[in-house]
Amino acid sequence: MSNHLFDAVSSAAPDLDAPFLETLDGRRWSYGDLFDGSARLAATLAALGVVPGDRVAVQVEKSPEALLLYVACLRAGAVFLPLNVAYTPTELDYFVGDAEPRLLVASPAAAAALRPVAHRHGARLETLDAKGGGSLMALVAEHGVPSFDNIDRGPDDLAAILYTSGTTGRSKGAMLTHDNLLSNALTLKDFWRFTPADRLIHALPIFHTHGLFVATNTILASGASMLFLPRFDAGEVLSLMDRATAMMGVPTFYVRLAQHPGLTPEATAGMRLFVSGSAPLLAETHRAFEEKSGHKILERYGMTETNMITSNPYDGDRVAGAVGLPLPGITVRVTDPETKAIVGAGEVGMIEVRGPNVFKGYWRMPEKTQAEFREDGFFVTGDLGKIDARGYVTIVGRDKDLVISGGYNVYPKEVEAEIDELEGVVESAVIGVAHADFGEAVTAVVVKAEGASVSERGVLAALDGRLARFKQPKRVLFVDELPRNTMGKVQKAALRQRYADLYQPAKVG
Ligand code: MLC
Ligand code: AMP
């Protein structure tokens, strides 16, 4: 039987003994272990009644077994649905209700809180911990067999659903097909010159596009290997560089590395590639990193719905502040947001994209899907940018009301809705304010009712447990009224300007 994505992975593996993954505590997986372990998990999924097309929702700590579960879902024809570990049970309730997974795999620590969620939506609940233990692995011991007849999956079949928060309304599940993922992985492998000799430092979470698809799928499509870290720590990452060849990260990784005294040409001598994406990399970070290490970071641009869209070249000019050229097979254009006409070179407009990388649509939301595609098949990214005469794309802003903090997207509307519900709050506006470490920091500007005793600490305490930690404001500020334009719309640009220095270190003198 043919399975579009998995077949490509198995043919890329150099041999069964070739290394695939190593953890910090010295555990090692070869490609043979990956195939064996994912077969056992796929057989277990089938024994639990997971049939092709079923969703398998997964909210677990990062572990090699969680990656094997992703591969097992591909082989079993299931749709993998990873969820940020920071999401609260309240947030999970929506995703599970919307996606209706057959199975929800959670961390043991979250199981008690998630049992009612799973029950309410008819999902079976199993657990998986960071060390590869939990009830799911106990079932593997019972049902797992080392060979599995992969379910037939063609290019257009669903491989994964990743939720992206909506600027209006609820989160949308982006449906990604086997070919969306494979085409992009093969393109990145060639564009970034990955071979089986590569070893990637993997310090990203594996519940988003960057860590799961850009990093892992590219490694799988290349038959390469990775050093698999539970989280990013600058010192640890630096200490591993003499055993690795490449790293992918969000700008915060590079900000922190550039501040670390251990970043030197000697420490990075064995590395051939540093890739950054998911949020804007400041030109000053690009330069500081190069000055200290001798390496020019390669910045690329993409999103959940489209995988990777553009990349700076491997050999050519890596331009600080630009996200590079459209990847092979992908077309990018910039249009006037009002007239929809294509604008001239160097003019700013809406970035639109078309190619095999672009998702199939939003899960059970045909109208929302239609609204974000042009008639000729281009997807409207919501990012504002320009293309210069050489074809380099630069992102200059966003048409969508979105804050990107340390590479995580936060939709202000979701945070505002929670704050507005609090007693004594009249209204709020949530904005992203420049932050040296996170790029942007979620910041709430609140109007309280006359005489109300709402405090910053009170607001933060009320949000705790309702919103994932990274969505909670770093500061809550109070004002008498929010600035509005003549249409009555809150002027967020004015607020961003007013608080531009909020997180800057105080200037001396
Ligand atoms: C952690 N915190 C954050 C945060 N991460 N707050 C805001 N934004 C974030 N991104 C909170 C913690 O809960 C903690 O709060 C406090 O901030 C300090 O934590 P820390 O120890 O400094 O954080 P750390 O664990 O080091 O995490 C920072 C980080 C991490 C940048 C390493 O957030 C990260 O790995 N981000 C990567 C996100 C990612 O993979 N994005 C890709 C999306 S895909 P407290 O109060 O508990 O102390 C995509 C498409 C594409 O966008 O193009 O790739
Ligand atoms: P997500 O919805 O989490 O996939 O985030 C995608 C968004 O991240 C894009 O629409 C961009 O706004 C932003 N993004 C990704 N890469 C870059 C980059 N290199 N520079 C600026 N913004 C980026």
Side-chain angles (χ1 to χ4, degrees):
M1 298 251 217
S2 83
N3 184 294
H4 194 64
L5 182 47
F6 182 75
D7 289 351
V9 171
S10 51
S11 63
D15 59 65
L16 294 181
D17 290 331
F20 165 56
L21 182 151
E22 186 182 328
T23 56
L24 287 183
D25 56 8
R27 295 196 294 159
R28 290 192 172 143
W29 276 258
S30 65
Y31 272 91
D33 297 330
L34 166 68
F35 299 146
D36 180 276
S38 59
R40 288 174 194 275
L41 270 159
T44 306
L45 293 177
L48 296 184
V50 172
V51 296
D54 274 352
R55 278 75 58 209
V56 173
V58 179
Q59 190 198 32
V60 296
E61 297 297 331
K62 185 175 177 180
S63 72
E65 288 77 9
L67 264 196
L68 264 54
L69 180 57
Y70 159 59
V71 176
C73 285
L74 297 175
R75 300 180 70 173
V79 181
F80 189 68
L81 197 170
L83 293 159
N84 194 327
V85 278
Y87 292 154
T88 64
T90 317
E91 290 169 312
L92 256 271
D93 191 67
Y94 168 74
F95 299 120
V96 177
D98 190 56
E100 296 184 311
R102 172 85 56 187
L103 175 66
L104 169 62
V105 184
S107 302
L114 291 179
R115 192 151 282 121
V117 174
H119 189 253
R120 190 158 39 248
H121 303 294
R124 181 182 176 127
L125 180 75
E126 298 297 342
T127 60
L128 175 62
D129 68 25
K131 294 255 174 279
S135 68
L136 182 67
M137 300 319 278
L139 287 165
V140 171
E142 197 180 317
H143 298 286
V145 278
S147 74
F148 179 78
D149 268 342
N150 295 331
I151 298 293
D152 246 334
R153 291 285 95 172
D156 203 36
D157 283 317
L158 284 197
I161 294 179
L162 267 64
Y163 275 86
T164 78
S165 303
T167 36
T168 54
R170 304 308 308 248
S171 290
K172 300 169 286 186
M175 299 190 288
L176 294 150
T177 67
H178 274 242
D179 200 53
N180 290 152
L181 303 183
L182 179 59
S183 65
N184 215 236
L186 293 173
T187 300
L188 296 178
K189 157 181 124 58
D190 290 342
F191 209 74
W192 295 340
R193 312 268 172 92
F194 274 88
T195 72
D198 274 303
R199 194 186 271 164
L200 180 83
I201 296 179
H202 192 305
L204 287 158
I206 53 169
F207 39 70
H208 284 313
T209 294
H210 200 162
L212 186 60
F213 302 144
V214 189
T216 304
N217 281 351
T218 303
I219 291 303
L220 287 170
S222 315
S225 65
M226 47 192 167
L227 295 170
F228 206 61
L229 278 60
R231 57 183 291 278
F232 176 80
D233 176 89
E236 196 154 61
V237 161
L238 279 163
S239 75
L240 292 171
M241 285 191 188
D242 60 352
R243 300 183 49 217
T245 62
M247 189 184 85
M248 296 181 195
V250 295
T252 302
F253 286 19
Y254 294 103
V255 169
R256 293 183 185 179
L257 283 169
Q259 286 166 349
H260 196 287
L263 183 72
T264 61
E266 296 72 38
T268 55
M271 297 286 286
R272 67 168 188 89
L273 180 62
F274 291 94
V275 180
S276 175
S278 306
L281 179 76
L282 293 181
E284 103 197 21
T285 308
H286 195 279
R287 279 191 280 272
F289 192 87
E290 185 182 4
E291 234 170 70
K292 295 190 173 157
S293 70
H295 291 271
K296 256 186 197 291
I297 298 170
L298 185 157
E299 187 175 8
R300 57 67 179 172
Y301 156 63
M303 60 192 295
T304 302
E305 289 93 331
T306 63
N307 295 285
M308 297 306 99
I309 303 170
T310 68
S311 170
N312 273 278
Y314 190 81
D315 280 330
D317 202 2
R318 295 183 192 173
V319 179
V323 294
L325 307 154
L327 285 161
I330 295 171
T331 312
V332 176
R333 70 184 183 193
V334 177
T335 59
D336 183 311
E338 300 294 316
T339 67
K340 321 280 187 248
I342 297 175
V343 302
E347 281 182 52
V348 173
M350 174 66 74
I351 298 178
E352 300 186 7
V353 56
R354 188 170 68 182
N357 54 314
V358 177
F359 76 135
K360 199 172 175 164
Y362 294 113
W363 172 255
R364 292 180 179 163
M365 288 185 179
E367 299 83 21
K368 290 221 159 109
T369 304
Q370 206 186 358
E372 299 201 16
F373 279 91
R374 301 273 187 238
E375 272 171 12
D376 54 2
F378 276 81
F379 173 69
V380 182
T381 61
D383 292 312
L384 298 172
K386 55 186 180 179
I387 307 181
D388 72 11
R390 291 198 300 163
Y392 279 73
V393 177
T394 303
I395 297 173
V396 300
R398 293 175 211 128
D399 195 40
K400 46 192 176 192
D401 194 12
L402 162 71
V403 179
I404 307 185
S405 168
Y408 286 136
N409 288 6
V410 181
Y411 281 87
K413 199 171 160 41
E414 194 186 349
V415 185
E416 288 161 4
E418 291 290 343
I419 297 176
D420 291 351
E421 270 193 18
L422 303 178
E423 209 182 306
V425 169
V426 176
E427 60 173 349
S428 64
V430 167
I431 52 171
V433 173
H435 187 279
D437 189 36
F438 289 127
E440 291 175 343
V442 175
T443 305
V445 185
V446 175
V447 179
K448 54 183 162 185
E450 227 177 279
S453 63
V454 189
S455 67
E456 175 167 24
R457 201 187 296 176
V459 170
L460 292 176
L463 296 181
D464 209 22
R466 295 199 59 79
L467 286 175
R469 207 121 182 98
F470 68 87
K471 296 180 190 170
Q472 295 173 24
K474 298 286 178 213
R475 289 293 315 270
V476 179
L477 310 158
F478 294 93
V479 294
D480 291 337
E481 59 180 342
L482 296 173
R484 292 183 188 275
N485 65 14
T486 48
M487 311 287 287
K489 198 169 176 275
V490 175
Q491 290 176 302
K492 290 202 167 174
L495 284 176
R496 278 192 290 267
Q497 210 173 356
R498 190 185 304 170
Y499 298 112
D501 293 331
L502 189 63
Y503 301 101
Q504 306 306 319
K507 292 189 183 82
V508 183

